[in-house]
């Protein structure tokens, strides 16, 4: 597998423990508790990254959290979409343009964007799970002719929580991408699918014998999505999931992110399903 490794991008020349200073250039409100930040380095250029990799964002005096890159590899900024779930993510969600934040990275493995060339691609996202998948979608759409069918399936708790709503509408205008969105709980105005996202897989159009599955979302959603793709006929070695665990060092030293015999920070977060199938059912250890 040729997924990107820890030293993809310029990080190999830097001390991976020392945060670099980044300025918040832009803040876009996505949802009531979620923002997208564009970050540019105070000095030099941002390191390159592979779709699926993450950075450690440091809110000064509060702490550091792992956040996936959610922007385009072609952009000069690091773009991150952050949900406020606690002290650190809450501080980051409140940052205003012009603020300065610490950043280490990029770290971890990436989606199999290169390997999937020539094949169909089925992207399955649950809620905020669309954020780590978005750079892969950008990369695939930028080289659309290199891929077969491209299917994007998104599940959201309710219509108000649909992430990147405007972008989904833009992608939907294209004739070369199939997009289906489903919600767990519909409101009065919702005219779309209702139910969990794995239920969209059996009716999606792709060639199961020549397709890659890219899945990100809550673990229970990923388990059902993996099963639905396997049932559709996708081989386990063509299904990739992005795992989340508590991170501290992010470079394979502290053991905080241990997932049985693997470290999510360096062997993941993007992992090929057949390599973790036996431990995929385990809770955080
Ligand atoms: C590889 C990787 C990539 C990630 N990418 C993103 C991303 O793109 N955007 C993003 O917003 N977050 C992302 N996360 C999750 C993010 O790191 C956590 O939300 C963050 O560490 C929470 O820290 P905190 O101090 O704000 O909250 P804490 O005080 O640590 O946690 C507050 C509460 O939220 C719960 N919690 C922790 N993480 C999550 C979560 N992911 N979802 C829901 N509840 C949670 C905790 O169990 C706790 O109950 C990623 C995590 C990993 C490991
Ligand atoms: S976060 Fe320290 S080993 Fe992965």
């Amino acid at each position: 597998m040729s997924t990107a490794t820890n030293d993809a991008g310029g990080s190999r020349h830097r001390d991976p423990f020392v945060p670099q200073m980044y300025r918040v250039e832009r803040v876009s409100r996505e949802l009531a508790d979620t923002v997208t930040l564009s970050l540019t380095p105070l000095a030099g250029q941002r390191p390159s990254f592979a779709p699926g990799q993450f950075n450690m964002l440091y809110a000064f005096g509060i702490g550091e959290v792992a956040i996936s890159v959610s922007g385009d590899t072609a952009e000069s900024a690091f773009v991150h979409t952050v949900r406020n779930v606690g002290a650190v993510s809450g501080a980051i969600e409140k940052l205003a343009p012009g603020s300065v934040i610490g950043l280490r990275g990029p770290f971890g493995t990436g989606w199999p964007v290169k390997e999937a060339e020539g094949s169909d691609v089925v992207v399955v996202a649950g809620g905020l799970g669309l954020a780590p998948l978005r750079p892969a979608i950008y990369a695939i759409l930028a080289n659309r002719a290199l891929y077969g069918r491209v299917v994007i399936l998104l599940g959201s708790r309710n219509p108000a929580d649909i992430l990147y709503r405007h972008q989904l509408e833009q992608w939907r205008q294209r004739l070369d991408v199939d997009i289906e969105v489903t919600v767990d709980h519909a409101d009065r105005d919702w005219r779309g699918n209702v139910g969990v996202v794995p239920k969209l897989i059996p009716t999606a159009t792709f060639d199961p014998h020549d397709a890659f599955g890219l899945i990100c979302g809550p673990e229970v959603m990923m388990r059902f999505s993996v099963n639905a793709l396997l049932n559709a006929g996708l081989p386990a070695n063509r299904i990739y999931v992005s795992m989340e665990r508590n991170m501290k060092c992010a470079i394979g030293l502290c053991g905080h992110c241990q997932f049985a015999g693997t470290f999510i920070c360096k062997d993941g977060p993007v992992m090929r399903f057949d390599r973790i199938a036996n431990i995929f059912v385990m809770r955080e250890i």
Side-chain angles (χ1 to χ4, degrees):
M1 183 172 65
S2 62
T3 47
T5 61
N6 261 5
D7 52 11
S11 60
R12 85 186 67 161
H13 304 298
R14 298 194 169 116
D15 181 338
F17 280 117
V18 178
Q20 305 298 308
M21 298 300 116
Y22 278 67
R23 179 180 294 106
V24 178
E25 295 292 343
R26 208 170 49 243
V27 181
S28 313
R29 167 101 6 225
E30 303 284 357
L31 305 170
D33 57 359
T34 306
V35 293
T36 293
L37 308 172
S38 295
L39 308 175
T40 53
L42 295 193
Q45 294 185 327
R46 70 149 176 81
S48 60
F49 72 94
Q53 287 194 295
F54 68 94
N55 286 316
M56 297 298 290
L57 299 188
Y58 178 38
F60 298 118
I62 303 175
E64 207 181 28
V65 287
I67 302 288
S68 303
V69 185
S70 66
D72 196 336
T73 49
E75 275 182 79
S76 57
F78 266 136
V79 175
H80 289 282
T81 302
V82 183
R83 172 167 293 161
N84 176 352
V85 297
V88 183
S89 56
I92 294 172
E93 189 239 5
K94 290 177 186 63
L95 289 174
S99 317
V100 173
I101 186 171
L103 183 152
R104 297 191 290 127
F107 299 117
T109 54
W111 298 108
V113 172
K114 194 78 189 150
E115 294 90 322
E117 286 181 4
S119 302
D120 292 356
V121 181
V122 187
V123 173
V124 189
L128 192 61
L130 186 56
L133 284 162
R134 191 166 67 157
I137 297 172
Y138 283 136
I140 290 166
L141 296 185
N143 294 288
R144 182 65 189 84
L146 298 179
Y147 298 87
R149 279 183 172 273
V150 175
V151 179
I152 300 171
L153 307 175
L154 171 67
S156 179
R157 265 175 308 189
N158 52 58
D161 284 338
I162 295 173
L163 191 64
Y164 308 141
R165 182 183 286 269
H166 296 300
Q167 185 139 47
L168 287 167
E169 287 309 320
Q170 284 169 4
W171 288 338
R172 218 191 270 278
Q173 305 300 315
R174 300 176 61 127
L175 299 176
D176 55 2
V177 187
D178 297 338
I179 299 186
E180 288 291 340
V181 179
T182 185
V183 297
D184 296 346
H185 309 289
D187 60 21
R188 221 184 290 168
D189 299 325
W190 180 252
R191 297 279 173 274
N193 302 295
V194 179
V196 293
V197 67
K199 289 195 172 166
L200 298 177
I201 292 172
T203 53
T205 308
F206 58 90
D207 177 0
H209 305 296
D210 189 13
F212 280 74
L214 281 49
I215 310 174
C216 188
E219 269 182 49
V220 62
M221 165 266 166
M222 293 203 288
R223 271 188 211 113
F224 280 100
S225 299
V226 165
N227 283 338
L229 287 175
L230 290 171
N231 288 339
L234 238 78
N237 63 4
R238 288 208 161 188
I239 299 174
Y240 289 73
V241 296
S242 182
M243 303 297 296
E244 284 191 10
R245 286 293 183 273
N246 281 332
M247 299 274 172
K248 289 288 176 210
C249 72
I251 56 170
L253 292 178
C254 72
H256 268 87
C257 66
Q258 202 165 352
F259 182 52
T262 66
F263 288 161
I264 298 289
C265 66
K266 68 179 180 64
D267 304 315
V270 177
M271 304 180 101
R272 210 174 80 183
F273 177 67
D274 60 321
R275 296 187 167 143
I276 56 162
N278 56 339
I279 51 173
F280 193 55
V281 288
M282 288 184 196
R283 289 189 173 277
E284 188 149 359
I285 49 176

